[in-house]
Amino acid sequence: MQFKLRQLQAFRAVAETGSITKAAEALGVSQPAVSRLISDFSASMDLELFQRRRGILEPTSDSRHLLTEVRRILAGLDHLEDLRRDLKERTGGHMRIACLPGFATSHLPQVLAQFLKERPGVTVALEPDRPERILEWIIGEQYDCGITDDFAGHPATESIDLFVRSACILPPGHPLEHKTIITPRDLAGEKLIHTRRDSGFYRRLSRAFAEYETEMNSLIEVRQFTTACLMVREGVGASVVSALDAEGFRDKGIVIKPFEPKIHHRLSILFPSAVSVPRVVRDFMDVFVESLSPVLASPTPK
């Protein structure tokens, strides 16, 4: 048996209106067209679909069971059309995003929340982990995109590099808080909280201190800038961190100062190169990059 969508729609319309005339009006077709659709559908099913009572077409006992299934099928097709429209208009879909742990608790949630307000049909899976794991997920196409740092490149990925300015952060009341710019020489002898020694940011910071012929007085080594901000807020020491993380603490009890020489935190947005990335994911990454514009280095470092 082969059924046409229009036959199912005509059957439902007649069952719900009790009239060929009203069904034709609802479907926007002629009465003879509805009559023909019902006749062909009845023949295909080998069932009498309607009986007339008091001038109204009522479903037979057999076709009432059929009507339940037809309504389910048409509802599913309506949902499919809604999904198609959402995907075309980029208001629906699913995003799988992997990110550094610090992004899962600062900045990214706010950007994501605003993005989802304008796209109520979009769902998200957000997974924080270390850079090595993020790269593994992107290569394996388990996630649509990843936000990581100091990415060295991989043939199974495509990437976008972003360069975030750095800032020196101090506890309130620190003797250096009245200086306009902080240099490594200003931090000589200060107890420093810094990123782990194998990170690209630490290597750039070390070179900056070397240029000023100043030794770093290492106190605490951390994995995330957020941890450094929290420690500085508690008065444990000073730090040089990503300006993005520093700005997140501007109203939380730390002093933020420009740092020279200019060093940067290199972020990378990764996509699997072997598959087509959903358009809604590309849209979100565009929004995410735009949200970073106030703290991005200019001009972009080479």
Side-chain angles (χ1 to χ4, degrees):
M1 288 182 287
Q2 293 184 348
F3 309 123
K4 295 181 179 179
L5 174 60
R6 211 56 170 158
Q7 291 175 349
L8 302 183
Q9 293 172 329
F11 172 60
R12 182 181 63 178
V14 173
E16 292 177 348
T17 64
S19 165
I20 295 290
T21 302
K22 292 180 180 178
E25 293 174 355
L27 295 175
V29 297
S30 67
Q31 294 180 38
V34 173
S35 297
R36 185 169 58 255
L37 289 168
I38 294 298
S39 176
D40 291 344
F41 187 43
S42 178
S44 297
M45 293 298 299
D46 194 21
L47 287 174
E48 183 183 358
L49 300 179
F50 297 100
Q51 55 189 5
R52 187 176 294 276
R53 291 183 179 176
R54 298 181 297 277
I56 298 175
L57 291 175
E58 295 182 352
T60 63
S61 58
D62 288 335
S63 68
R64 284 195 185 96
H65 297 294
L66 180 61
L67 179 61
T68 299
E69 187 64 17
V70 167
R71 282 173 170 159
R72 187 190 66 80
I73 293 170
L74 292 177
L77 291 174
D78 289 341
H79 174 71
L80 184 61
E81 171 58 20
D82 290 341
L83 179 59
R84 182 203 65 79
R85 184 175 60 253
D86 286 344
L87 292 174
K88 183 176 180 180
E89 297 175 358
R90 305 183 190 185
T91 59
H94 184 64
M95 302 192 300
R96 301 170 299 169
I97 303 171
C99 67
L100 298 172
F103 273 105
T105 56
S106 64
H107 190 73
L108 185 58
Q110 291 88 344
V111 178
L112 187 56
Q114 184 59 44
F115 184 83
L116 294 178
K117 284 181 182 178
E118 300 170 1
R119 297 163 179 81
V122 175
T123 58
V124 182
L126 181 63
E127 185 69 33
D129 213 314
R130 64 190 188 279
E132 299 82 3
R133 188 65 169 156
I134 292 173
L135 177 58
E136 179 183 325
W137 284 335
I138 298 301
I139 293 172
E141 302 171 14
Q142 295 172 266
Y143 283 80
D144 299 312
C145 65
I147 303 171
T148 186
D149 61 1
D150 287 315
F151 177 57
H154 192 282
T157 70
E158 60 173 280
S159 62
I160 300 171
D161 286 337
L162 305 169
F163 298 88
V164 179
R165 291 183 287 103
S166 61
C168 178
I169 55 174
L170 306 164
H174 193 280
L176 295 174
E177 73 174 346
H178 299 297
K179 289 203 59 132
T180 303
I181 296 173
I182 305 297
T183 70
R185 196 165 290 128
D186 295 319
L187 297 175
E190 291 288 338
K191 296 177 180 178
L192 291 180
I193 304 161
H194 57 79
T195 56
R196 65 190 191 281
R197 296 176 188 272
D198 63 347
S199 70
F201 188 84
Y202 178 82
R203 289 191 292 271
R204 289 187 283 275
L205 183 62
S206 295
R207 286 196 297 268
F209 270 76
E211 289 174 9
Y212 277 72
E213 300 180 344
T214 303
E215 291 187 8
M216 293 179 61
N217 183 17
S218 175
L219 175 65
I220 301 176
E221 182 176 335
V222 298
R223 178 172 287 273
Q224 299 176 32
F225 290 130
T226 302
T227 306
C229 292
L230 291 169
M231 299 297 289
V232 169
R233 187 178 66 179
E234 295 300 318
V236 176
S239 186
V240 178
V241 300
S242 156
L244 176 64
D245 292 86
E247 288 299 327
F249 279 78
R250 181 172 289 278
D251 299 324
K252 298 179 182 178
I254 66 171
V255 176
I256 303 173
K257 295 291 181 178
F259 181 77
E260 288 188 0
K262 290 180 170 57
I263 63 174
H264 60 271
H265 178 218
R266 182 163 67 91
L267 293 176
S268 297
I269 300 174
L270 310 186
F271 303 99
S273 59
V275 297
S276 177
V277 177
R279 287 180 297 179
V280 68
V281 175
R282 295 281 188 182
D283 287 347
F284 176 68
M285 283 299 112
D286 288 343
V287 171
F288 174 71
V289 172
E290 177 62 28
S291 75
L292 297 178
S293 58
V295 295
L296 293 182
S298 180
T300 300
K302 300 298 183 183

